[in-house]
Amino acid sequence: MEDTIEVILQDHSRVLSTDRPHPAFSACLGVLLTGVYGVWSLFATPGFRRVPWRLKVPYLPSSNDQTLNIMKLLEGRTGRLADLGSGDGRVVFAASSAGFRCTGFEINSILVTYARSKAHWRGVSSGQATFVNKDFWKTDLSAYNNVTAFLAPGVMEVLGEKLLKELPDDARVIACRFPFPDWPQESSAGSGLDQTFAYDMGSVRSHLRKEPNTAV
């Protein structure tokens, strides 16, 4: 895009000049940027006002490889799964197809509507996959024995404290890209931006009890 603009500006046979862009060009560029920002904000920011600033995480979908890595770390497991910040539902759909009973928590109402529509198109029943427009920070997650999260490094410590209080010992937590600080990993899959980490709550609690000044 930038290279194209430079070529246009360097072409003195055009109406545009490097000193003063043509008013029509400036107007069109402004409209374009406003439209792009508007579309981005629809998907990335609705619901943010309901979440404290330090816990806000913009929408960033999981890659295909990341989703596959999540499913590798869930192999052999069953039961209920909570996806924290489920976005367009791709992790929920992958897990529900593997037999999990899934709930996707998402504060962005547009993404919730989109995910529900995808479930309808695919014929996925609400018993397999449910998408709720709820703040998971304010939700008791004790009924889930599998939890997946692709959030941000700045919230992982706070999330860890919440999960330690609520999840049963037999629960497994999958963190995408950003690991929990001070938690011992059970295993991991992938590398780089697609790396995912598995934690078993019983092992995490046992490890933290041995650490000084750690409340479990």
Side-chain angles (χ1 to χ4, degrees), residues 2-46:
E2 293 178 355
D3 293 340
T4 304
I5 293 174
E6 285 186 15
V7 170
I8 293 173
L9 294 176
Q10 290 170 1
D11 186 349
H12 297 289
S13 65
R14 301 289 182 111
V15 176
L16 300 177
S17 71
T18 55
D19 296 326
R20 183 174 298 174
H22 193 279
F25 174 80
S26 298
C28 290
L29 182 60
V31 171
L32 175 62
L33 294 176
T34 300
V36 169
Y37 174 78
V39 172
W40 174 83
S41 63
L42 282 174
F43 286 93
T45 61

Side-chain angles (χ1 to χ4, degrees), residues 173-190:
V173 179
I174 308 296
C176 300
R177 190 176 299 178
F178 308 114
F180 288 94
D182 304 322
W183 279 24
Q185 298 171 20
E186 194 69 24
S187 56
S188 66

Side-chain angles (χ1 to χ4, degrees), residues 56-73:
K56 291 180 180 181
V57 179
Y59 169 57
L60 183 64
S62 300
S63 67
N64 290 334
D65 286 343
Q66 195 173 70
T67 302
L68 289 173
N69 291 334
I70 292 171
M71 297 314 300
K72 287 178 183 177
L73 298 178

Side-chain angles (χ1 to χ4, degrees), residues 50-170:
R50 292 181 287 166
V51 179
W53 178 259
R54 68 192 180 100
L55 301 179
K56 291 180 180 181
V57 179
Y59 169 57
L60 183 64
S62 300
S63 67
N64 290 334
D65 286 343
Q66 195 173 70
T67 302
L68 289 173
N69 291 334
I70 292 171
M71 297 314 300
K72 287 178 183 177
L73 298 178
L74 289 172
E75 286 180 359
R77 295 188 60 82
T78 58
R80 300 187 65 187
L81 181 144
D83 185 27
L84 310 183
S86 54
D88 62 4
R90 62 187 64 190
V91 171
V92 168
F93 290 125
S96 64
S97 67
F100 292 91
R101 289 173 288 124
C102 304
T103 302
F105 290 90
E106 177 58 58
I107 61 170
N108 185 320
S109 58
I110 295 175
L111 289 171
V112 170
T113 300
Y114 177 66
R116 288 173 178 171
S117 298
K118 283 175 66 177
H120 177 72
W121 297 332
R122 296 183 179 191
V124 180
S125 70
S126 58
Q128 295 174 281
T130 301
F131 297 95
V132 294
N133 187 203
K134 293 180 65 176
D135 181 0
F136 67 80
W137 293 107
K138 300 177 181 178
T139 303
D140 183 356
L141 301 174
S142 59
Y144 299 92
N145 64 323
N146 301 280
V147 173
T148 58
F150 180 21
L151 299 176
V155 305
M156 298 307 289
E157 183 174 357
V158 181
L159 178 61
E161 293 171 359
K162 173 180 173 62
L163 299 182
L164 280 170
K165 292 177 182 177
E166 298 176 359
L167 295 185
D169 277 346
D170 65 346

